[in-house]
Amino acid sequence: MNWPLIALRNILRDGTRVISTVLIIAVGLTALLLGSGFMLSTYDSLQEIGMRTEGHVIIIDDNPRPLLGGTHQQLTLSNWQPVQASLLSDERVLRVLPRAHFEGIISNGNHSAVFFGSGVDPQEEFRVHGPFLRTTGTLDPWLTKTDIADVMLGVELARTLNAKTGDLLHIQTSNSVGKINHASLRLAGIYQNGTPEIDNHTLMVSLDTAAKLLETDNISQLSIYLNQHQNSTAMQAELQNRFDNATVQTWQQRAELYNKVKSLYDRIFGAMGIIILTVVFLAITNTISLAIYQRREEIATLSALGTKPTSIYANFILEACLIGTAACLVGMLVAFTASHAINFSGLMMPAPPGKTEGYPIFIYISWSHYLLTSLTLITIVASASLLASYKAAKINIANALS
Amino acid sequence: MSTRLILNAIGKSYGSGDSPVTALAEITLTLNDGEFLAIQGPSGSGKSTLLNICGLIDQPSSGDYYLNGTPVAQLNAEQRCAQRRKALGFIFQRHQLIPAMTVSENIAYPLLLNHVPAKQIRHEVEQLLSKLDLTHRRKHLPKQLSGGERQRVGIARALIKRPQLVIADEPSASLDHHHALAGLQLMRELNQTFEASFLIASHDPFVIDFCDRKLTLLDGRIGESS
């Protein structure tokens, strides 16, 4: 006996209702795949920003000593060069970038502004940021070995100062004991990443320049970039054991935007998923309940012939699963086509909170994701049909046959 | 000869309170192994209710029912289902074929429920298709058959597992004389070979005369028997 074929014949007996059920489930699956595909691509993007900005694993001093000038002047990570060299010998490590944070005032003679600065490795810093920190008008190479040091400004800070590449700017900052230091720097270029805090208030100089201004070669943090970000947690635990007096964190512990957006999207898409799954559950319950009502005589006959209730459930579950599978195939095809259309269309999302720029909508397409979502939906369909078909086994045989 | 079925003062009423409807009252009868018993009576006399009770698809309101010596009242739903699957065969007045199954599948279904090997099922089905002149219809669905063909498929389905007791409600309905005779001969063959008992409700004099014994139901009571 070919049960799937018999189930298919039963399904085709009620084509119109089955088609509407297939469409409801297919639309639900399409919405789930598009929504979750967008969510996952957003997570990937934010994860990439977080990792590129902070590094996969970050070492910071565990005993900050508050000094004059506020938190940015606390350059407490000393003797870091041997640590950097040691980490670079680890085959899992791609780069180890020192960063020294400080703050002060920058002026072009006519205008001045408060800044938050970073002393960075000029050769590597912009490579790790990649497309998430776009530079314009950069002198090549920036921070050249001239008698005047270079500075890079956030785009809005440069606009505030009406500064252009090549202009001479003056900065004033205090060292760890409160001594005021000055320097004249050449504007080597402008960067932009779409986050107002960064674009409006930050600047970068070479680590050497920062050391001269701050009169120390201590740094604020060591950012470690790995070959594979999946190693972040293991590496963090390893380094935390190795450095008792330092705090070692993963990028995720410092990625505030990623964590906030993920929490928000998880709730939004979670609620959307629950609503869609409920609609699917109700649609299939309705379809199977109507089928049971219309096929009461047939069910009663099966019972009269001695069919076990479990076999009667199994027939309806099989029918529901066939409907679910057909719907999932349609839903996956529609979602796949729509995702490609959206990805190629260049549609933009508006700027999210904390950003000044929108970003292109991208829908993540992955067959494992498609299959997992479809299996979840088919499980819901099977559960709904089990619930509905439970009534079938309760039919009064004599009444149904009379 | 042992007793297949004993009904002792079986009653069946529907509804409750001041005006219950009595479908059967004080039905007492015995059916032996290998016996053909015809039940006749006008519409509404309680024939179908009696067959339903004997076929374990309805339960009496009062009285005792023994099937193969077992008091049916002591059987739970699962055990009654197992008895229907193994010991009972049904021929329904309205055929009650499974619409999504072909003729062969409908006939084979009771054997499948009893876990008979596939090869044996195919053999048994082919034999019955041939005897009931249905071979050319084996792959057709019930909706593609005439009323008579459906009834013959229903008879084949009831007899294929060689049940101990066959419950038949108007087995000759929709059948011409030739096919009615073929069906009855098949029943007789089963009866003679395996001592199957038959409880047949019918208005058809040809069927009633074919049976060993007959009883008449009138308003839910046994009117006369012979």
Side-chain angles (χ1 to χ4, degrees), chain A residues 9 297 301 303 306-307 401, chain B residues 84-85 94 96 100 105 109:
Chain A
R9 286 187 201 134
E297 271 193 55
T301 305
S303 296
T307 310
L401 290 176
Chain B
R84 290 196 299 270
R85 183 165 61 246
R94 281 187 289 153
Q96 305 296 5
E105 288 164 346
Y109 187 68

Side-chain angles (χ1 to χ4, degrees), chain A residues 1-3 5-6 9-10 13 297-298 301-309 396-402, chain B residues 52 57-58 81 84-85 90 92 94 96-102 105 108-110 112-113 115 141 157 161:
Chain A
M1 196 81 74
N2 188 340
W3 292 111
L5 180 62
I6 290 171
R9 286 187 201 134
N10 273 323
R13 282 163 66 191
E297 271 193 55
E298 179 188 329
T301 305
L302 291 170
S303 296
L305 295 175
T307 310
K308 291 177 184 170
N396 183 310
I397 304 173
N399 283 349
L401 290 176
S402 62
Chain B
N52 285 345
I57 59 178
D58 203 354
C81 181
R84 290 196 299 270
R85 183 165 61 246
F90 290 92
F92 300 99
R94 281 187 289 153
Q96 305 296 5
L97 302 182
I98 306 303
M101 291 184 189
T102 62
E105 288 164 346
Y109 187 68
L112 199 79
L113 286 179
H115 308 294
L141 292 171
R157 183 179 64 183
K161 67 180 175 188

